[in-house]
Amino acid sequence: MAGVQLKDVEKVYPNGFKAIHGIDVKVIDGEFLVLVGPSGCGKSTLLRMVAGLETVSGGEIRIGDRVVNDLEPMERNIAMVFQNYALYPHMSCYDNMAYGLRNRGVPKAEIAARVAETARILELEGLLDRRPNLLSGGQRQRVAMGRAIVRKPAVFLFDEPLSNLDAKLRVQMRIEIKRLQADLNTTSIYVTHDQVEAMTLGHRLMVLNGGNMEQLGTPIELYERPATTFVAEFIGSPSMNLLDARVSDDGAVVKLPDGESWTRADGGGRHAGRTVTLGVRPEHFDITGGDDGEAHLHVALVEHLGADTLIHGHIGDDRNALTVRLQGVVTARMGDVLPLRVAAKHLHLFDPETGKRLD
Amino acid sequence: MVENRPYLNVISHLIIIICIGIVMLPVWITFVASTHPIEALLTQPIPMWPGDRLFENYALVLTAGIADAGGVPVGVMMINSLIMALSITIGKIAISLIAAYAIVYFRFPFRMTCFWIIFMTLMLPVEVRILPTFKVVADLGMLNSYAGLSIPLIASATATFLFRQFFLTVPEELAEAARIDGAGPLKFFIDILMPLSRTNIAALFVILFIYGWNQYLWPLLITTEESFYTVVMGIQRMVNVSESLPVWHLVMATTILAMLPPVIVVVTMQRLFVKGLIETEK
Ligand SMILES: Nc1ncnc2c1ncn2[C@@H]1O[C@H](COP(=O)(O)OP(=O)(O)O)[C@@H](O)[C@H]1O
Ligand SMILES: [Mg+2]
């Protein structure tokens, strides 16, 4: 087992496109790191560089204490699970799992024992002599995982392994992956564009945007203190509301354009008078409080989810549209005006120019 | 196909039966002719049902040959044909598999140039380049040899092109998974790509075997020794005997024999072909 360290890693594709702009991260031994970001942000590129499937244009990648920049994938002691599984269609599940071991010259008896053990963990015992085309999507996914596990590599790499499964199976496999990783305690890097998957799986998350690292931290850190508006919108569902606002001249309140305002926790005068982007998560609103000095929500649409109610509307004029998420069933109708309060600690301020968090 | 109307069924069967009749009738006449003595074929009406000379006629052609046509036993000619057809087929498949692998999976200078040059030779069948090819083969001393019969026909742009198209449909991740599993280029080729190409190889084997077996002009040009005659050109020599009438019953027996190997190849390979289709289907 081993950690993975990236030092100022860059990738320029042969066509001149720069996909990765200097990424630094140290994945410690046994950690589960999730790379998350929208499609095309360079997640797969970064993962494939760690795997050795893409060349490294700049910087250094270490696995354990070896620099692996110029090593073949096989020599890096990693295993990868692909989005489309990439099982060998002409081989039985047994052979799919055994192939990598055979190529490494593992004795036959040990291969049989290891495959049997892996099949037991993944509940694949009855399927070993079937070919992949006779398996369901979930079973193929398990075989692909088995092919990785059976090798006992230093690092697991996953590239959106669940995105070809239906929603229910995805949740099930997600839990299974998390359990497996905890049991095996193998360093893992996991790529996904799904923030729920990222939040639930990762010890730490790296949010990528256009080949740059936006933020690196635990799921809770990212949720509670997003470093940029990009992260703020990306993590959490529904997304954080971002409103144009201004901090009052004494710093005590944030004012919305039409004069309504929310009180800040520690006025303290910081950013007084400054134009900001104000971020509030839908679930942090409260409509029960009094009426004084708070903003008002004009309800446009109500969605009942059972456990929660989503209310879409706007404050004052149409510019500041927002979504509110309230627990339980809330009866509200289009055209209602609701008093809207936010606890001061749930107000996030961002620089409107750079999108960076203001503290 | 989905429709279930009885009269449609009858009509389609009728059409099939008529078509089979059209195709099979000449074959039947050939077979019938090969079971009669020559006298029966020179009088009207020609027989429509098999005669009593089946074994005599076939035994004669296979072992002794026809005296007027050089007396080469058909057995020998068939073996020559078989060696030529198999060399061409196996050689073509091996070379085009390797060439397509290089073109698809390796980045070397002038890769696309190589591909287009190979592709352009599609337009040059044997007959067009026959004189220069003959000169080269003659200069290399390969006249009257199995090498001369097969090597000039081995390179195949068609097969290379087909394999290239197939390799392009193999997901890239498969190659990547194999790399991670520690399979080098050669291992990937043998362990993954070749088994996946089974269906294509089977189909090409059928087509190329028949192509090789039916070669006529080329063997005619480069073989002067009777021991290298192939069966297709042998038939032609039997018909063109100068001093006497063609021995039609024996010619027909030879024809039937010449048809057998392609039929056997089609029938056996067809099974593998269909099996391959079912199994590699995703
Ligand atoms: N072989 C390539 N050549 C040039 N550009 C590429 C190549 N592969 C990917 N890219 C580009 O690099 C960016 C990142 O791609 P990728 O890592 O696959 O994104 P994702 O985060 O969706 O996995 C994309 O804009 C993509 O178009
Ligand atoms: Mg991707």
Side-chain angles (χ1 to χ4, degrees):
Chain A
M1 277 197 230
V4 178
Q5 191 173 5
L6 309 189
K7 273 194 201 148
D8 203 23
V9 169
E10 295 187 343
K11 175 69 187 179
V12 182
Y13 275 112
N15 64 1
F17 179 76
K18 191 163 186 186
I20 299 290
H21 302 258
I23 299 278
D24 274 297
V25 63
K26 193 168 180 180
V27 191
I28 58 171
D29 194 5
E31 182 174 0
F32 198 132
L33 178 79
V34 175
L35 302 181
V36 65
S39 181
C41 68
K43 311 177 292 286
S44 298
T45 304
L46 194 57
L47 191 78
R48 292 162 52 81
M49 285 162 82
V50 176
L53 299 172
E54 297 285 356
T55 54
V56 180
S57 317
E60 194 179 276
I61 299 181
R62 281 170 183 271
I63 296 179
D65 40 19
R66 283 190 308 169
V67 175
V68 297
N69 283 30
D70 298 319
L71 293 187
E72 272 292 302
M74 179 194 184
E75 301 163 325
R76 299 186 181 202
N77 198 15
I78 48 108
M80 185 155 169
V81 180
F82 295 86
Q83 177 171 357
N84 63 4
Y85 319 134
L87 296 174
Y88 311 122
H90 59 294
M91 294 188 191
S92 67
C93 294
Y94 182 94
D95 290 331
N96 262 286
M97 291 199 242
Y99 187 61
L101 296 175
R102 286 194 192 123
N103 289 341
R104 284 170 171 78
V106 178
K108 248 197 166 107
E110 194 187 335
I111 295 181
R114 280 218 231 167
V115 173
E117 166 71 4
T118 310
R120 194 185 55 73
I121 296 174
L122 291 168
E123 294 165 20
L124 285 171
E125 282 125 323
L127 309 174
L128 284 179
D129 37 332
R130 285 209 209 158
R131 292 198 179 178
N133 59 343
L134 298 177
L135 301 181
S136 70
Q139 289 169 333
R140 286 183 206 180
Q141 174 63 53
R142 275 167 208 270
V143 177
M145 301 262 300
R147 187 169 64 179
I149 292 171
V150 80
R151 290 239 328 272
K152 301 189 178 162
V155 183
F156 287 137
L157 304 174
F158 300 88
D159 194 349
E160 312 220 14
L162 304 184
S163 52
N164 283 359
L165 300 178
D166 61 59
K168 199 171 156 199
L169 210 50
R170 206 178 305 162
V171 174
Q172 206 176 317
M173 286 305 295
R174 192 173 83 199
I175 293 167
E176 200 151 324
I177 289 179
K178 187 167 176 131
R179 184 177 59 78
L180 265 175
Q181 201 271 341
D183 287 351
L184 301 170
N185 201 25
T186 304
T187 313
S188 303
I189 305 181
Y190 186 105
V191 161
T192 179
H193 65 264
D194 177 2
Q195 58 100 13
V196 178
E197 226 169 273
M199 295 287 281
T200 49
L201 281 174
H203 297 152
R204 280 194 299 165
L205 272 51
M206 183 196 289
V207 182
L208 286 173
N209 181 19
N212 291 300
M213 181 166 83
E214 288 275 332
Q215 190 171 6
L216 176 67
T218 65
I220 299 303
E221 278 167 14
L222 263 61
Y223 179 80
E224 291 186 339
R225 294 181 59 78
T228 62
T229 48
F230 181 85
V231 178
E233 280 198 286
F234 196 80
I235 301 292
S237 170
S239 293
M240 183 185 274
N241 297 295
L242 294 176
L243 309 170
D244 300 329
R246 203 178 143 270
V247 180
S248 64
D249 290 336
D250 60 1
V253 295
V254 256
K255 286 189 168 161
L256 296 169
D258 39 9
E260 303 196 280
S261 61
W262 284 304
T263 314
R264 295 177 68 204
D266 49 343
R270 278 181 301 114
H271 313 301
R274 179 163 186 177
T275 309
V276 296
T277 299
L278 172 67
V280 185
R281 294 202 179 274
E283 54 271 35
H284 291 151
F285 286 111
D286 177 9
I287 57 166
T288 54
D291 207 17
D292 45 318
E294 303 298 341
H296 293 85
L297 175 70
H298 299 256
V299 178
L301 183 74
V302 180
E303 290 178 301
H304 293 285
L305 304 179
D308 299 313
T309 306
L310 295 184
I311 303 179
H312 306 275
H314 54 86
I315 293 179
D317 55 29
D318 272 343
R319 261 186 304 163
N320 277 326
L322 53 74
T323 303
V324 174
R325 176 176 179 165
L326 300 167
Q327 279 193 355
V329 180
V330 176
T331 44
R333 262 172 299 132
M334 199 179 132
D336 286 359
V337 178
L338 304 171
L340 211 52
R341 285 155 54 104
V342 188
K345 63 173 179 181
H346 291 316
L347 297 174
H348 304 266
L349 300 187
F350 301 98
D351 184 323
E353 304 288 316
T354 62
K356 290 235 157 57
R357 182 180 190 83
L358 300 170
D359 278 309
Chain B
M1 271 174 263
V2 208
E3 304 198 30
N4 192 15
R5 276 180 257 165
Y7 70 91
L8 262 183
N9 231 334
V10 171
I11 291 180
S12 41
H13 276 86
L14 217 64
I15 294 177
I16 292 174
I17 290 167
I18 292 173
C19 290
I20 291 177
I22 293 173
V23 175
M24 287 308 289
L25 189 64
V27 180
W28 176 249
I29 292 178
T30 309
F31 174 70
V32 168
S34 73
T35 60
H36 282 276
I38 182 73
E39 295 78 24
L41 302 178
L42 298 176
T43 52
Q44 286 290 350
I46 55 163
M48 285 308 286
W49 298 104
D52 54 356
R53 299 286 288 271
L54 179 78
F55 294 106
E56 289 92 325
N57 286 352
Y58 281 84
L60 183 69
V61 233
L62 271 177
T63 53
I66 300 164
D68 289 330
V72 189
V74 174
V76 171
M77 293 199 280
M78 291 203 31
I79 287 172
N80 288 343
S81 278
L82 194 70
I83 291 174
M84 178 178 74
L86 282 179
S87 313
I88 292 176
T89 310
I90 294 169
K92 264 182 193 282
I93 289 178
I95 285 183
S96 38
L97 263 174
I98 295 168
Y101 182 51
I103 286 171
V104 174
Y105 284 92
F106 293 87
R107 303 279 165 270
F108 53 90
F110 305 112
R111 191 171 61 101
M112 284 323 280
T113 319
C114 287
F115 173 70
W116 285 113
I117 289 174
I118 293 174
F119 192 71
M120 268 157 51
T121 63
L122 265 177
M123 298 162 210
L124 296 176
V126 180
E127 288 73 16
V128 176
R129 56 183 164 88
I130 203 151
L131 284 177
T133 310
F134 180 82
K135 170 92 172 97
V136 170
V137 170
D139 288 352
L140 289 176
M142 293 202 297
L143 297 180
N144 286 316
S145 71
Y146 290 126
L149 275 173
S150 49
I151 290 176
L153 303 180
I154 274 181
S156 170
T158 324
T160 308
F161 186 70
L162 282 176
F163 281 125
R164 170 185 181 264
Q165 295 311 96
F166 172 68
F167 290 168
L168 288 177
T169 67
V170 174
E172 235 172 281
E173 285 88 350
L174 226 49
E176 292 174 347
R179 260 178 91 188
I180 291 174
D181 267 344
L186 196 63
K187 249 184 146 0
F188 172 68
F189 182 63
I190 292 170
D191 289 351
I192 316 274
L193 222 43
M194 295 252 290
L196 287 180
S197 312
R198 262 166 48 120
T199 326
N200 293 272
I201 293 176
L204 271 174
F205 191 94
V206 173
I207 296 166
L208 295 178
F209 182 85
I210 294 172
Y211 164 86
W213 184 268
N214 288 344
Q215 281 302 317
Y216 170 65
L217 190 56
W218 181 250
L220 196 62
L221 264 184
I222 72 147
T223 56
T224 46
E225 271 173 37
E226 286 160 357
S227 60
F228 286 104
Y229 283 0
T230 65
V231 71
V232 175
M233 59 182 283
I235 293 172
Q236 187 267 349
R237 293 176 61 93
M238 289 175 193
V239 181
N240 276 354
V241 282
S242 42
E243 289 104 44
S244 55
L245 280 172
V247 275
W248 284 116
H249 59 311
L250 301 183
V251 174
M252 291 303 150
T254 311
T255 309
I256 291 286
L257 286 173
M259 275 192 289
L260 278 182
V263 169
I264 292 171
V265 166
V266 168
V267 169
T268 50
M269 284 310 222
Q270 193 187 24
R271 228 185 269 154
L272 202 151
F273 186 57
V274 173
K275 202 169 137 207
L277 274 183
I278 296 166
E279 282 180 358
T280 53
E281 187 209 356
K282 260 216 125 170

